[in-house]
Amino acid sequence: MLANFASVFSLMLSTLLMMVAFGLQSYVIPVRSVAEDWSTLTVSVFATGYTLGFTLSCVVTPKFVLRVGHVRVFTALMTLLSIAILMCGLIVDWRAWIGFRAVSGFAIAGSYLVIESWLNERVTNENRGLLFSLYLITTMIGTIAGQYLVPLGDPTNTSLFILCGVLFSLALLPTALSSSPMPAAPTQANFDLPGLFRRSPVAVVGGFLAGALSGAWLNLGGVFTQKIGLSTSEGATLLAAVLAGSALSQIPIGRASDRMDRRIVMIACGLFGVVSCLVTALAIGSGAWILYGLSGCVGMVLFPIYALNVAHANDLAQPDEYVKISSGLMITYGLGTISGPLVVGPVMDAFGPAALFVMLAVYFALYAGYAAWRIGQREQYEGLVAKTDFQATTVLPTPGPDVTNPLAQQETGAMIEDDTVPEWEAQAQ
């Protein structure tokens, strides 16, 4: 066990530094945008560049890894992240930021792919859950720590942008200098969205809505904290509360979905999200600590719901279909993250910052409503349904521990029962 931890120590350290920089970047960008007096719609437009780059990277990055290997690709991606954030500090123009944010989205998504593929080479069935839990904790700690760096500098000058670039550059050193053996190159994942929708409509629609929810929050949450008059430290705490709520609820939600129809859990999460968001919208101005608690409640369902869709789509899949399903859901999620800021941003401009949580409540209502409708459409059948293990996700959903590694796919497939479900039952999902 200690040998396994030692073999991924440098990778975890690189991940920690990368996520500290990511947390700083994700907060300093909206704070600087508000300081420049850009409209929420403008912020949404260049935020779309980020999600476009993120989605494209899910398709392109494995090809680069296949050609030159994990370490070289990871080094290149960290360099791109440094360049993108430094250029944002150098050229403060929202039109230029569209391109810079697209580069950033491409690089961060590719980094997730490389890191998780690398981890898969170092885990076994006995320690997979422990090591990936450590990975999730590392990403959460890094993101929260990065957000708390914003109050230490001045977002209206280049200091925090330079610090962010330095941290991204530092993140490549532990991995580049590691003596651990390099992992095998991943295979290119194909995706089939029409086939995925026929198999599991609720996973596709739910994945899109989950993307819209997280895309709106991740890109406009920092704007919200500034618009309602919170200081940078108070805003960092509110954003951290959302992440903390997500971390606390991942496992309970997953365990509940393992014991019942996952769509019932989707409905419960959606309704909880509706109530939490509406109460938060009404509580604006009531005090920072009240907002922290309510934001934590929103976070409890904001990010974990994507993992519910992934698990549901994989429940009735054959082992050789996991890559196709996960890739398709990532593309669906990416499309959702593109639409979220573009829809919510203009509404915030028209009706004020509270409209962010009202719109999140609308998305949660659609999420719960569609899951409930699908339950009514499904034909009834008897017998047990083979389920995949629930996989908790990071802030930005990544391929997960079994997507980029053929060996890991085989190991996971061996853990699933051989009992298959008739095609008509799978389509009914």
Side-chain angles (χ1 to χ4, degrees), residues 220-231:
L220 300 175
V223 175
F224 168 81
T225 65
Q226 296 298 297
K227 293 288 188 181
I228 64 172
L230 296 181
S231 66

Side-chain angles (χ1 to χ4, degrees), residues 151-170:
L152 303 180
D154 185 358
T156 62
N157 59 39
T158 60
S159 60
L160 290 176
F161 292 89
I162 293 173
L163 176 59
C164 193
V166 169
L167 289 170
F168 277 130
S169 298
L170 287 175

Side-chain angles (χ1 to χ4, degrees), residues 122-143:
R122 301 292 178 264
V123 300
T124 64
N125 288 340
E126 288 72 25
N127 63 20
R128 184 183 304 275
L130 182 59
L131 283 178
F132 269 89
S133 294
L134 177 62
Y135 167 61
L136 292 173
I137 292 170
T138 300
T139 60
M140 290 285 185
I141 292 175
T143 304

Side-chain angles (χ1 to χ4, degrees), residues 1-18 74 115 118-123 127 131 134-135 138-139 170-182:
M1 179 65 71
L2 291 178
N4 290 112
F5 281 110
S7 67
V8 299
F9 176 78
S10 61
L11 184 60
M12 289 296 186
L13 182 56
S14 287
T15 301
L16 178 64
L17 291 169
M18 182 187 78
F74 187 74
I115 290 169
W118 197 325
L119 280 176
N120 273 314
E121 289 286 335
R122 301 292 178 264
V123 300
N127 63 20
L131 283 178
L134 177 62
Y135 167 61
T138 300
T139 60
L170 287 175
L172 66 85
L173 295 181
T175 301
L177 300 176
S178 174
S179 60
S180 300
M182 298 299 102

